[in-house]
Amino acid sequence: MSNIRFQANLQGRRMLTGKWRHAILITFLFVLLVLGVSLLEKALRTSLHIPQLDSHMLLNMDPRSALISGVFCVVTFLVITPLTTGQTEWYWHLAQNKERPIGDVLGWFGSLRLYGKSILLGLQIIWRMALWGLAVYAAPIVLMLIDEFILGYESLPSAILYLVAMVLILVGSVFLTFIAMRYFLAVYLLVEKASRKTTDCVKASVRYSRSFRWEIFKFQWSFIFWWLLCYLFIPIFYVYPYYSISSVELARHVLATKRTKRIEGEDGVIAQVTLKEDQENSSNTQ
């Protein structure tokens, strides 16, 4: 299992051979939409004189600013989620050596049913992660409230309590990232077979990823350095396609492994039997 990440990355680079131009154009479309929404928000804030940061370069806590941020978060979600689903589907077919036109990444906008499914899947994952987040951060939030309203800021117990809260937040964030790996496969299950119910995609993702979550977690963290480089903007046109196709390869490996049953006969020969669900999925793959 230790070579899964390496093989996914290696196979991903191989699959991009001769396809980099298409992958870069797809990434450019993603960046263009994200920047477009961001510039639209900036223009609105400028016209209304509601900056995102205050004079101390801290987040503007004005209710109007929070409302604008909330509205554009929703807009970004409604625009980017179907697009990333379409991009995932494009890379999924690329991993199967199937030629698909670049315009197919917009396919999840072209059907109300597909658009709704991509949004619904995203919402189901968000609310599940929100519940996990509430459970994980409840204790440190309570400690910080005690620190602020009961102990005050200038006592030793207050400092210790605040330090404990920060440690719990840090540990909780890492744990929450690991929990998120439960849902890593959901979007791949949806693009594999668009007729699936989104609830089934989430449940199947939790089931299939059970023995692979640590590997998926390490795979995600292995890209941290690459994502930091994206702050220089240009590297994103390499990192995003590389991450996307590598993620597809990892997902395909996990699904294939979990759907294959190993049977050892009396003579010691091990046979691999493809489960019925996998056969149905293969025949119905788009």
Side-chain angles (χ1 to χ4, degrees), residues 89-107:
E89 185 179 38
W90 189 86
Y91 283 107
W92 181 270
H93 288 293
L94 177 62
Q96 296 175 319
N97 289 308
K98 295 180 179 179
E99 292 286 342
R100 282 297 183 98
I102 296 177
D104 277 13
V105 300
L106 300 175

Side-chain angles (χ1 to χ4, degrees), residues 123-137 176:
L123 289 175
Q124 288 183 349
I125 294 174
I126 287 174
W127 80 260
R128 282 174 168 81
M129 288 304 302
L131 291 178
W132 277 105
L134 183 63
V136 168
Y137 293 127
L176 203 61

Side-chain angles (χ1 to χ4, degrees), residues 82-83 86 89 103-116 118:
L83 177 62
E89 185 179 38
D104 277 13
V105 300
L106 300 175
W108 290 74
F109 288 99
S111 165
L112 184 60
R113 181 180 66 87
L114 293 179
Y115 179 84
S118 66

Side-chain angles (χ1 to χ4, degrees), residues 17-273:
T17 302
K19 302 295 181 182
W20 274 105
R21 181 171 61 88
H22 300 80
I24 289 174
L25 286 174
I26 290 173
T27 304
F28 179 75
L29 177 61
F30 171 80
V31 172
L32 191 65
L33 285 178
V34 172
L35 287 179
V37 174
S38 178
L39 290 174
L40 186 61
E41 179 183 0
K42 185 176 181 180
L44 179 62
R45 287 181 176 277
T46 301
S47 64
L48 297 177
H49 304 288
I50 304 176
Q52 190 168 19
L53 301 177
D54 60 20
S55 58
H56 301 288
M57 298 306 292
L58 298 175
L59 194 64
N60 188 353
M61 301 306 293
D62 188 315
R64 296 175 301 167
S65 177
L67 178 61
I68 293 175
S69 296
V71 168
F72 277 92
C73 280
V74 172
V75 171
T76 301
F77 174 76
L78 294 177
V79 172
I80 298 302
T81 301
L83 177 62
T84 54
T85 305
Q87 291 177 334
T88 300
E89 185 179 38
W90 189 86
Y91 283 107
W92 181 270
H93 288 293
L94 177 62
Q96 296 175 319
N97 289 308
K98 295 180 179 179
E99 292 286 342
R100 282 297 183 98
I102 296 177
D104 277 13
V105 300
L106 300 175
W108 290 74
F109 288 99
S111 165
L112 184 60
R113 181 180 66 87
L114 293 179
Y115 179 84
K117 278 196 168 186
S118 66
I119 296 297
L120 185 58
L121 179 64
L123 289 175
Q124 288 183 349
I125 294 174
I126 287 174
W127 80 260
R128 282 174 168 81
M129 288 304 302
L131 291 178
W132 277 105
L134 183 63
V136 168
Y137 293 127
I141 289 176
V142 169
L143 291 179
M144 293 180 74
L145 291 175
I146 293 174
D147 177 35
E148 180 174 357
F149 295 106
I150 298 179
L151 297 180
Y153 287 112
E154 298 180 356
S155 63
L156 179 60
S158 171
I160 295 175
L161 201 63
Y162 184 79
L163 179 61
V164 171
M166 290 296 101
V167 171
L168 288 177
I169 289 176
L170 178 61
V171 173
S173 298
V174 175
F175 176 73
L176 203 61
T177 304
F178 181 79
I179 289 296
M181 301 305 104
R182 291 160 54 92
Y183 312 114
F184 171 76
L185 298 172
V187 67
Y188 301 105
L189 289 163
L190 182 61
V191 301
E192 179 190 47
K193 186 178 179 182
S195 61
R196 279 195 180 100
K197 295 179 179 180
T198 54
T199 304
D200 293 339
C201 291
V202 174
K203 291 180 178 178
S205 176
V206 174
R207 185 173 69 255
Y208 285 142
S209 65
R210 185 168 293 116
S211 58
F212 284 90
R213 285 171 198 162
W214 179 239
E215 287 298 320
I216 298 173
F217 178 81
K218 290 190 294 183
F219 170 82
Q220 299 289 359
W221 278 92
S222 70
F223 276 87
I224 289 297
F225 174 74
W226 290 108
W227 291 125
L228 290 176
L229 284 179
C230 289
Y231 280 100
L232 302 176
F233 187 71
I234 297 299
I236 194 174
F237 293 102
Y238 171 80
V239 176
Y240 190 76
Y242 177 37
Y243 170 80
S244 297
I245 189 63
S246 298
S247 296
V248 167
E249 292 294 343
L250 179 62
R252 280 165 51 83
H253 173 84
V254 173
L255 292 174
T257 302
K258 298 297 287 187
R259 289 169 174 169
T260 303
K261 184 177 181 181
R262 294 167 62 88
I263 302 177
E264 185 171 356
E266 295 179 357
D267 55 357
V269 177
I270 297 177
Q272 292 187 335
V273 180

